[in-house]
Amino acid sequence: MPTVSVWEDTRTFFPLFLAQIEQIGARSVCVVGASDGKFVLPLARRGLHVLAIERDPSSVDGGPVKLPGPIDTVVPGLRKRVAEEGLIDHVTIVQADLFEVDVAEPRADAVWTSCSWHYSINHSRPLADFIAAMSRLCRSQGGVFGAEYMMPVAPRHFEVEHYPGEGQVRGHLPGWQIDWETYTPAFVEAPHVGQLAEHVHRMGLI
């Protein structure tokens, strides 16, 4: 039986990415910032091979977490969720920083990340480096690069390039054909892990 991610109810453009990879007949996808598998497991259930990159040990192997309520609980983690659904043959988990991952051939048909580069732990590297490292994981001919990301809302966001404004991510993808680029207005997100009260987001997709 499919299990539920702690991120299950957060908003996402992921269905648009799925439509794009179905168009190219993708067989493999790399998910950067795999967390506990919100995107990894749906891809694997479709029979795709997924390279799941995640640096956080608790996301990979589970551990205590505080959920809205607040509720203290223990989450299973990506590795256990993959095993419980019988998807081990479809998922390769790499517990490492994105910049430590060797780029192997053949590269994935597509690469996806969801709101990963805005975390402060990634601010030590320029946004351009993060996007370049992601794009190197994807085949250059006919591959799909998909990223949803946080845009600036609070005053502090406008001082950090990892909260890019409209059109700014496009400049970090020279040579790529942009099929989708869209943005939300500011919206109120329900409480979730890491943000236990209602909060305001704005998101982009490229």
Side-chain angles (χ1 to χ4, degrees):
M1 175 179 294
T3 55
V4 178
S5 166
V6 296
W7 300 98
E8 197 71 23
D9 294 329
T10 54
R11 299 190 189 188
T12 180
F13 288 111
F14 187 61
L16 294 178
F17 175 73
L18 284 179
Q20 292 294 103
I21 64 174
E22 287 172 359
Q23 286 183 19
I24 69 165
R27 295 182 179 182
S28 59
V29 180
C30 176
V31 177
V32 176
S35 189
D36 70 347
K38 175 177 179 176
F39 306 107
V40 172
L41 271 71
L43 292 166
R45 291 174 194 141
R46 287 169 166 80
L48 299 171
H49 181 77
V50 186
L51 175 64
I53 300 174
E54 175 57 58
R55 66 184 295 170
D56 177 40
S58 63
S59 292
V60 174
D61 291 312
V65 68
K66 189 178 291 292
L67 297 178
I71 300 169
D72 290 316
T73 188
V74 176
V75 294
L78 176 60
R79 204 182 309 276
K80 185 175 181 180
R81 293 187 69 213
V82 168
E84 287 181 342
E85 294 199 26
L87 296 170
I88 291 176
D89 291 342
H90 291 282
V91 180
T92 300
I93 299 172
V94 177
Q95 187 177 332
D97 185 279
L98 171 62
F99 296 100
E100 299 170 354
V101 177
D102 290 332
V103 179
E105 296 291 351
R107 301 183 187 185
D109 296 325
V111 62
W112 168 258
T113 196
S114 174
C115 303
S116 57
W117 63 54
H118 79 279
Y119 285 102
S120 58
I121 196 170
N122 292 319
H123 293 183
S124 61
R125 301 288 291 263
L127 177 58
D129 288 0
F130 194 99
I131 293 174
M134 269 189 64
S135 62
R136 284 194 295 270
L137 296 167
C138 183
R139 62 181 170 92
S140 57
Q141 298 297 318
V144 174
F145 176 106
E148 59 186 8
Y149 53 92
M150 294 300 178
M151 301 178 69
V153 178
R156 64 183 178 85
H157 297 159
F158 289 89
E159 301 176 2
V160 180
E161 68 161 342
H162 298 74
Y163 291 85
E166 294 186 15
Q168 291 181 2
V169 175
R170 174 185 291 261
H172 296 302
L173 290 166
W176 286 79
Q177 174 183 317
I178 309 300
D179 292 322
W180 280 96
E181 189 172 14
T182 189
Y183 319 101
T184 70
F187 63 90
V188 177
E189 181 86 86
H192 58 73
V193 60
Q195 291 278 4
L196 301 181
E198 285 189 343
H199 49 286
V200 178
H201 281 324
R202 190 176 182 219
M203 292 173 61
L205 166 74
I206 194 163

